[in-house]
Coordinates of all heavy atoms in Angstrom, one line a residue:
M8 N -85.5 96.1 60.9 CA -86.7 95.7 61.8 C -87.4 94.5 61.2 O -87.0 93.9 60.2 CB -87.7 96.8 62.0 CG -87.0 98.1 62.4 SD -86.1 98.2 64.0 CE -84.7 99.0 63.7
S9 N -88.6 94.2 61.6 CA -89.3 93.0 61.2 C -90.1 93.2 60.1 O -91.4 93.3 60.1 CB -90.1 92.5 62.4 OG -91.0 93.5 62.9
G10 N -89.5 93.2 59.0 CA -90.2 92.9 57.7 C -91.3 94.0 57.2 O -92.3 94.1 58.1
G11 N -91.3 94.6 56.2 CA -92.3 95.4 55.7 C -92.5 96.7 56.3 O -91.7 97.2 57.2
S12 N -93.5 97.5 56.0 CA -93.6 98.9 56.6 C -94.7 98.8 57.5 O -95.3 100.0 58.0 CB -93.9 100.0 55.5 OG -95.1 99.5 54.9
G13 N -95.3 97.6 58.0 CA -96.4 97.6 58.9 C -96.1 98.1 60.3 O -94.9 98.5 60.5
K14 N -97.2 98.4 60.8 CA -97.1 98.9 62.3 C -97.1 97.7 63.3 O -97.7 96.8 63.2 CB -98.3 99.7 62.5 CG -98.2 100.9 63.4 CD -99.6 101.5 63.5 CE -99.6 102.8 62.5 NZ -101.0 103.6 62.9
K15 N -96.2 97.9 64.3 CA -96.0 97.0 65.3 C -96.2 97.5 66.6 O -95.8 98.5 66.9 CB -94.6 96.2 65.2 CG -94.7 94.8 65.3 CD -93.5 94.0 65.3 CE -93.6 92.8 66.2 NZ -92.3 92.2 66.5
T16 N -97.0 96.8 67.5 CA -97.2 97.2 68.8 C -96.5 96.5 69.9 O -96.4 95.3 69.8 CB -98.8 97.1 69.1 OG1 -99.5 97.8 68.1 CG2 -99.1 97.6 70.5
Y17 N -96.0 97.2 70.9 CA -95.0 96.7 71.9 C -95.9 97.1 73.1 O -95.9 98.2 73.6 CB -93.7 97.3 71.9 CG -93.0 96.9 70.7 CD1 -93.2 97.7 69.6 CD2 -92.3 95.9 70.5 CE1 -92.6 97.4 68.3 CE2 -91.5 95.6 69.5 CZ -91.7 96.3 68.3 OH -91.1 96.0 67.0
E18 N -96.5 96.1 73.7 CA -97.3 96.3 74.9 C -96.6 96.2 76.3 O -95.8 95.4 76.5 CB -98.4 95.1 75.1 CG -99.3 95.1 73.9 CD -100.4 96.0 73.9 OE1 -100.6 96.6 74.7 OE2 -101.2 96.0 72.8
G19 N -96.8 97.3 77.1 CA -96.3 97.2 78.4 C -97.5 97.2 79.4 O -98.7 97.1 79.1
Q20 N -97.1 97.3 80.6 CA -98.2 97.3 81.7 C -99.0 98.4 81.6 O -100.2 98.3 81.9 CB -97.4 97.2 83.1 CG -96.7 95.9 83.3 CD -97.5 94.7 83.5 OE1 -98.7 94.7 83.8 NE2 -97.1 93.5 83.4
S21 N -98.4 99.5 81.5 CA -99.3 100.9 81.5 C -99.2 101.6 80.3 O -99.8 102.7 80.2 CB -99.0 101.7 82.7 OG -97.5 101.9 82.8
I22 N -98.3 101.4 79.3 CA -98.2 102.0 78.0 C -97.9 101.1 77.0 O -97.2 100.1 77.1 CB -97.2 103.1 78.3 CG1 -97.2 104.2 77.0 CG2 -95.7 102.5 78.4 CD1 -96.3 105.3 77.3
A23 N -98.5 101.3 75.8 CA -98.1 100.6 74.7 C -97.6 101.4 73.6 O -98.0 102.6 73.3 CB -99.4 99.8 74.1
V24 N -96.4 101.0 73.0 CA -95.8 101.8 72.0 C -95.9 101.1 70.6 O -95.8 99.8 70.5 CB -94.3 101.9 72.4 CG1 -93.6 102.7 71.2 CG2 -94.1 102.6 73.6
T25 N -96.4 101.9 69.6 CA -96.5 101.4 68.3 C -95.3 101.9 67.4 O -95.0 103.1 67.5 CB -97.8 101.7 67.5 OG1 -98.0 103.0 67.4 CG2 -99.0 101.1 68.3
F26 N -94.8 101.2 66.5 CA -93.6 101.5 65.7 C -93.9 101.2 64.2 O -94.3 100.0 63.9 CB -92.4 100.8 66.1 CG -91.2 101.0 65.2 CD1 -90.6 102.4 65.2 CD2 -90.7 99.9 64.5 CE1 -89.6 102.5 64.2 CE2 -89.7 100.3 63.6 CZ -89.1 101.5 63.5
E27 N -93.8 102.2 63.4 CA -94.1 102.1 62.0 C -92.8 102.2 61.2 O -92.3 103.3 61.1 CB -95.1 103.2 61.5 CG -95.9 102.8 60.3 CD -97.0 103.8 59.9 OE1 -97.4 104.5 60.9 OE2 -97.3 104.0 58.8
A28 N -92.3 101.0 60.8 CA -90.8 101.0 60.3 C -90.6 101.8 59.0 O -89.8 102.4 59.0 CB -90.5 99.5 60.1
G29 N -91.8 101.9 58.2 CA -91.7 102.7 57.0 C -91.5 104.1 57.2 O -91.2 104.8 56.2
R30 N -91.8 104.5 58.4 CA -91.9 106.2 58.6 C -90.4 106.5 59.2 O -90.1 107.7 59.3 CB -92.8 106.5 59.6 CG -94.3 106.7 59.0 CD -95.2 107.1 59.9 NE -96.4 107.6 59.4 CZ -96.9 108.8 59.7 NH1 -96.3 109.6 60.4 NH2 -97.9 109.3 59.0
C31 N -89.7 105.5 59.9 CA -88.5 105.9 60.7 C -87.4 106.5 59.8 O -87.0 106.0 58.8 CB -88.1 104.6 61.3 SG -86.6 104.8 62.3
Q32 N -87.0 107.6 60.4 CA -85.8 108.4 59.6 C -84.5 108.1 60.4 O -83.6 108.8 60.1 CB -86.1 109.7 59.7 CG -87.4 110.1 58.9 CD -87.9 111.5 59.0 OE1 -87.4 112.1 60.0 NE2 -88.9 112.0 58.3
H33 N -84.5 107.1 61.3 CA -83.4 106.8 61.9 C -82.6 107.9 62.7 O -81.5 108.1 62.8 CB -82.4 105.9 61.0 CG -83.1 105.0 60.4 ND1 -83.5 103.8 61.0 CD2 -83.6 104.8 59.2 CE1 -84.0 103.0 60.1 NE2 -84.2 103.6 59.0
A34 N -83.4 108.9 63.2 CA -82.8 110.0 63.9 C -82.3 109.6 65.2 O -81.5 110.3 65.8 CB -83.9 111.1 64.0
A35 N -82.6 108.4 65.7 CA -82.1 107.8 66.9 C -82.4 108.6 68.2 O -81.8 108.5 69.3 CB -80.6 107.6 66.9
E36 N -83.5 109.5 68.1 CA -84.0 110.3 69.4 C -84.4 109.1 70.4 O -84.2 109.4 71.5 CB -85.1 111.1 68.9 CG -84.8 112.4 68.1 CD -84.1 113.3 69.0 OE1 -84.1 113.3 70.2 OE2 -83.4 114.2 68.4
C37 N -84.8 108.2 69.9 CA -85.6 107.1 70.8 C -84.5 106.4 71.6 O -84.4 106.4 72.8 CB -86.5 106.2 70.1 SG -85.7 105.4 68.7
V38 N -83.4 105.9 70.8 CA -82.4 105.0 71.4 C -81.5 105.9 72.3 O -80.9 105.5 73.2 CB -81.5 104.2 70.5 CG1 -82.5 103.1 69.8 CG2 -81.1 105.1 69.3
R39 N -81.3 107.2 71.9 CA -80.4 108.1 72.7 C -81.2 108.6 73.9 O -80.6 108.8 74.9 CB -80.0 109.3 71.8 CG -78.7 109.3 71.4 CD -78.2 110.6 71.0 NE -79.2 111.4 70.3 CZ -79.3 111.9 69.1 NH1 -78.2 111.7 68.4 NH2 -80.4 112.6 68.5
G40 N -82.5 108.8 73.8 CA -83.2 109.4 74.8 C -83.6 108.4 76.0 O -83.6 108.8 77.0
L41 N -83.7 107.1 75.7 CA -84.3 106.2 76.6 C -83.7 104.7 76.1 O -84.5 104.0 75.8 CB -85.7 106.2 76.7 CG -86.4 105.7 78.1 CD1 -85.8 106.3 79.1 CD2 -87.8 106.0 78.0
P42 N -82.3 104.6 76.3 CA -81.8 103.2 75.8 C -82.3 102.0 76.6 O -82.3 100.8 76.1 CB -80.2 103.5 76.1 CG -80.2 104.6 76.9 CD -81.3 105.4 76.7
E43 N -82.9 102.3 77.8 CA -83.4 101.1 78.5 C -84.6 100.6 77.9 O -84.9 99.3 77.9 CB -83.8 101.6 80.0 CG -82.9 102.3 80.7 CD -83.1 103.7 80.7 OE1 -82.8 104.2 79.5 OE2 -83.5 104.5 81.6
V44 N -85.4 101.4 77.2 CA -86.6 100.9 76.5 C -86.4 100.6 75.0 O -86.9 99.7 74.4 CB -87.8 102.0 76.6 CG1 -89.0 101.8 75.7 CG2 -88.2 102.1 78.0
F45 N -85.5 101.5 74.3 CA -85.3 101.4 72.9 C -84.0 100.9 72.7 O -83.0 101.7 72.9 CB -85.5 102.8 72.2 CG -87.0 103.3 72.5 CD1 -87.2 104.3 73.5 CD2 -87.9 102.9 71.7 CE1 -88.5 104.8 73.7 CE2 -89.3 103.4 71.8 CZ -89.5 104.4 72.8
D46 N -83.7 99.7 72.2 CA -82.4 99.2 72.0 C -82.6 98.3 70.8 O -83.0 97.2 70.9 CB -81.9 98.5 73.3 CG -80.5 97.8 73.2 OD1 -80.0 97.9 72.0 OD2 -80.0 97.4 74.1
I47 N -81.9 98.7 69.7 CA -82.0 97.9 68.5 C -81.2 96.6 68.4 O -81.4 95.8 67.7 CB -81.6 98.7 67.2 CG1 -80.2 99.4 67.4 CG2 -82.7 99.9 67.0 CD1 -79.6 99.8 66.1
E48 N -80.4 96.4 69.6 CA -79.6 95.3 69.5 C -80.5 94.1 70.3 O -79.9 92.9 70.4 CB -78.3 95.4 70.5 CG -77.5 96.6 70.1 CD -76.7 96.3 68.9 OE1 -76.0 95.2 68.9 OE2 -76.8 97.0 67.8
R49 N -81.6 94.5 70.7 CA -82.3 93.5 71.5 C -83.6 93.1 70.9 O -84.1 93.9 70.1 CB -82.6 94.3 72.9 CG -82.7 93.5 74.2 CD -82.7 94.5 75.3 NE -83.8 95.6 75.0 CZ -84.0 96.7 75.6 NH1 -83.3 96.8 76.8 NH2 -84.8 97.5 75.3
R50 N -84.3 92.0 71.2 CA -85.5 91.6 70.7 C -86.4 91.4 71.9 O -86.0 90.5 72.8 CB -85.4 90.4 69.7 CG -84.7 90.7 68.5 CD -85.5 91.7 67.6 NE -84.8 92.1 66.4 CZ -83.9 93.1 66.2 NH1 -83.8 93.9 67.3 NH2 -83.3 93.4 65.2
P51 N -87.6 91.8 72.0 CA -88.1 92.9 71.0 C -87.3 94.3 71.3 O -86.8 94.4 72.5 CB -89.5 93.1 71.5 CG -89.6 92.7 72.9 CD -88.6 91.5 72.9
W52 N -87.1 95.0 70.4 CA -86.3 96.2 70.5 C -86.9 97.4 71.2 O -86.3 98.1 71.9 CB -85.8 96.7 69.1 CG -86.8 97.6 68.3 CD1 -87.8 97.2 67.6 CD2 -86.7 99.0 68.2 NE1 -88.3 98.2 67.0 CE2 -87.8 99.4 67.4 CE3 -85.8 100.1 68.9 CZ2 -88.0 100.7 67.1 CZ3 -86.1 101.3 68.6 CH2 -87.1 101.7 67.7
I53 N -88.2 97.3 71.5 CA -88.8 98.2 72.4 C -89.5 97.5 73.6 O -90.2 96.5 73.4 CB -90.0 98.9 71.6 CG1 -89.6 99.8 70.5 CG2 -90.6 99.9 72.6 CD1 -90.5 100.4 69.5
Q54 N -89.0 97.9 74.8 CA -89.5 97.2 76.0 C -90.1 98.3 76.9 O -89.3 98.8 77.8 CB -88.3 96.3 76.7 CG -88.0 95.1 75.6 CD -86.9 94.2 76.3 OE1 -86.7 94.2 77.4 NE2 -86.3 93.5 75.3
P55 N -91.3 98.5 76.8 CA -92.0 99.7 77.4 C -91.9 99.6 78.9 O -91.8 100.7 79.6 CB -93.4 99.7 77.0 CG -93.3 98.9 75.7 CD -92.2 97.9 75.9
D56 N -91.9 98.4 79.5 CA -91.8 98.4 80.9 C -90.5 98.7 81.6 O -90.3 98.7 82.9 CB -92.3 96.9 81.4 CG -93.7 96.9 81.2 OD1 -94.4 97.9 81.1 OD2 -94.2 95.8 81.1
N57 N -89.4 98.9 80.9 CA -88.1 99.1 81.4 C -87.9 100.6 81.9 O -86.8 100.9 82.3 CB -87.0 98.7 80.4 CG -86.9 97.2 80.2 OD1 -87.6 96.4 80.8 ND2 -85.9 96.9 79.3
A58 N -88.9 101.4 81.7 CA -88.8 102.8 82.4 C -90.3 103.2 82.8 O -91.1 102.4 82.4 CB -88.3 103.7 81.2
A59 N -90.4 104.3 83.5 CA -91.7 104.8 83.9 C -92.4 105.1 82.6 O -91.8 105.7 81.7 CB -91.5 106.0 84.8
A60 N -93.8 105.0 82.6 CA -94.5 105.2 81.5 C -94.4 106.7 81.0 O -94.3 107.0 79.7 CB -95.9 104.9 81.6
D61 N -94.3 107.6 81.9 CA -94.2 109.0 81.7 C -93.0 109.3 80.9 O -92.9 110.2 79.9 CB -94.1 109.9 82.8 CG -95.5 110.0 83.4 OD1 -96.5 109.6 82.8 OD2 -95.6 110.5 84.6
R62 N -91.8 108.7 81.1 CA -90.5 108.9 80.5 C -90.6 108.2 79.1 O -90.1 108.9 78.2 CB -89.4 108.1 81.2 CG -89.0 108.6 82.5 CD -88.1 109.9 82.3 NE -86.8 109.5 81.8 CZ -86.2 110.0 80.7 NH1 -86.8 111.0 80.1 NH2 -85.1 109.7 80.4
T63 N -91.2 107.0 79.1 CA -91.3 106.5 77.6 C -92.3 107.4 76.8 O -91.9 107.8 75.7 CB -92.0 105.1 77.7 OG1 -91.1 104.3 78.5 CG2 -92.3 104.4 76.3
A64 N -93.3 108.0 77.3 CA -94.2 108.9 76.5 C -93.5 110.0 76.0 O -93.6 110.5 75.0 CB -95.4 109.1 77.4
E65 N -92.6 110.7 77.0 CA -91.9 111.9 76.6 C -91.1 111.5 75.4 O -90.8 112.4 74.5 CB -91.2 112.2 78.0 CG -90.5 113.5 77.7 CD -89.3 113.5 79.0 OE1 -89.7 113.3 80.0 OE2 -88.3 114.0 78.7
V66 N -90.4 110.5 75.4 CA -89.3 110.2 74.4 C -90.1 109.8 73.0 O -89.6 110.3 72.0 CB -88.4 109.0 74.9 CG1 -87.5 108.5 73.7 CG2 -87.5 109.5 75.9
V67 N -91.1 109.2 73.2 CA -92.0 108.9 72.0 C -92.4 110.2 71.3 O -92.3 110.2 70.1 CB -93.2 108.0 72.4 CG1 -94.3 107.9 71.3 CG2 -92.8 106.5 72.7
R68 N -92.8 111.1 72.2 CA -93.2 112.4 71.6 C -92.1 113.1 70.9 O -92.4 114.1 70.0 CB -93.7 113.3 72.7 CG -95.1 112.8 73.2 CD -96.0 113.9 73.9 NE -95.3 114.4 75.1 CZ -95.5 113.7 76.3 NH1 -96.5 112.8 76.5 NH2 -94.8 114.2 77.3
R69 N -90.8 112.8 71.1 CA -89.7 113.4 70.5 C -89.4 112.8 69.1 O -88.6 113.4 68.4 CB -88.4 113.3 71.3 CG -88.1 114.4 72.3 CD -86.9 114.3 72.8 NE -86.9 114.0 74.4 CZ -86.0 113.5 75.1 NH1 -84.9 113.0 74.5 NH2 -86.3 113.4 76.3
C70 N -89.9 111.8 68.8 CA -89.7 111.1 67.5 C -90.1 112.1 66.4 O -91.3 112.4 66.3 CB -90.5 109.9 67.4 SG -90.3 109.1 65.8
P71 N -89.2 112.4 65.5 CA -89.4 113.5 64.6 C -90.3 113.0 63.5 O -90.9 113.8 62.7 CB -88.0 114.0 64.1 CG -87.2 112.8 64.4 CD -87.7 112.1 65.6
S72 N -90.4 111.8 63.1 CA -91.1 111.1 62.0 C -92.5 110.8 62.2 O -93.1 110.5 61.2 CB -90.3 109.9 61.4 OG -90.3 109.0 62.5
G73 N -92.8 110.6 63.4 CA -94.1 110.0 63.7 C -94.2 108.5 63.6 O -95.4 107.9 63.8
A74 N -92.9 107.9 63.5 CA -92.8 106.4 63.4 C -93.4 105.8 64.8 O -93.9 104.7 64.8 CB -91.5 106.0 63.1
L75 N -93.1 106.5 65.9 CA -93.4 106.0 67.1 C -94.6 106.7 67.7 O -94.8 108.0 67.5 CB -92.2 106.3 68.1 CG -91.0 105.4 68.1 CD1 -89.9 106.0 69.1 CD2 -91.3 104.0 68.4
R76 N -95.6 105.9 68.2 CA -96.7 106.5 68.9 C -97.0 105.7 70.2 O -96.4 104.6 70.4 CB -97.9 106.4 68.0 CG -97.8 107.0 66.7 CD -99.0 107.6 66.1 NE -98.8 108.1 64.8 CZ -98.6 109.4 64.6 NH1 -98.5 110.3 65.5 NH2 -98.4 109.8 63.3
Y77 N -97.8 106.2 71.1 CA -98.0 105.4 72.4 C -99.6 105.5 72.7 O -100.2 106.6 72.3 CB -97.1 105.8 73.4 CG -97.4 107.2 74.0 CD1 -98.3 107.4 75.1 CD2 -96.9 108.4 73.4 CE1 -98.7 108.6 75.6 CE2 -97.1 109.6 73.9 CZ -98.0 109.7 75.0 OH -98.3 111.0 75.5
H78 N -100.0 104.8 73.5 CA -101.2 105.0 74.2 C -101.2 104.3 75.5 O -100.5 103.3 75.7 CB -102.6 104.4 73.4 CG -102.5 103.1 73.0 ND1 -101.9 102.5 71.8 CD2 -102.9 101.9 73.6 CE1 -102.0 101.2 71.9 NE2 -102.6 100.8 73.0
R79 N -101.8 104.8 76.4 CA -101.9 104.3 77.9 C -102.8 103.2 77.8 O -103.9 103.0 77.3 CB -102.4 105.4 78.8 CG -101.7 106.8 78.7 CD -100.3 106.6 79.4 NE -99.6 107.7 79.4 CZ -98.6 108.1 80.4 NH1 -98.3 107.2 81.3 NH2 -98.0 109.3 80.4
V80 N -102.4 102.2 78.7 CA -103.2 101.1 78.9 C -103.5 100.7 80.4 O -102.7 101.4 81.2 CB -102.7 99.8 78.2 CG1 -102.6 99.9 76.8 CG2 -101.2 99.5 78.8
G81 N -104.5 100.1 80.8 CA -104.6 99.6 82.1 C -105.6 100.8 82.9 O -105.9 101.7 82.2
Ligands
LIG25 S1 -86.9 108.6 67.1 FE1 -88.4 108.0 65.5 S2 -87.4 108.4 63.6 FE2 -85.9 108.3 65.2 S3 -85.0 106.2 65.1 FE3 -86.6 106.4 66.7 S4 -88.5 105.7 65.7 FE4 -86.9 106.2 64.2

């Protein structure tokens, strides 16, 4: 990912997802659960607007490491 263990925020219209690279355990729950939003082949690799905010939130909650978090915006 993009350098260091810092937290990065990916803003969508109604939800923002933050990703903390240093915590990620590569369990792939995110990319398996919602490949429209989480796709490591793409930049940015998280695109929150590609699915309904509720779906994105649900998959973020499944992240076992706490690397992914979200908050509602708008
Ligand atoms: S679900 Fe969480 S721990 Fe697993 S790959 Fe995605 S961000 Fe990393």
Side-chain angles (χ1 to χ4, degrees):
M8 312 287 138
S9 58
S12 58
K14 214 181 264 184
K15 221 179 150 199
T16 303
Y17 300 83
E18 302 277 355
Q20 294 291 336
S21 52
I22 191 168
V24 176
T25 62
F26 174 66
E27 205 175 333
R30 282 182 165 232
C31 176
Q32 295 165 350
H33 309 287
E36 288 288 343
C37 52
V38 291
R39 250 196 329 236
L41 202 53
E43 310 94 290
V44 171
F45 302 96
D46 182 350
I47 57 168
E48 308 282 308
R49 220 175 32 194
R50 292 295 177 268
W52 82 279
I53 301 175
Q54 298 186 14
D56 288 335
N57 286 359
D61 286 344
R62 290 278 294 128
T63 300
E65 186 196 316
V66 171
V67 165
R68 285 196 300 266
R69 261 190 248 159
C70 172
S72 68
L75 288 176
R76 305 208 183 269
Y77 72 91
H78 60 268
R79 305 286 186 152
V80 293

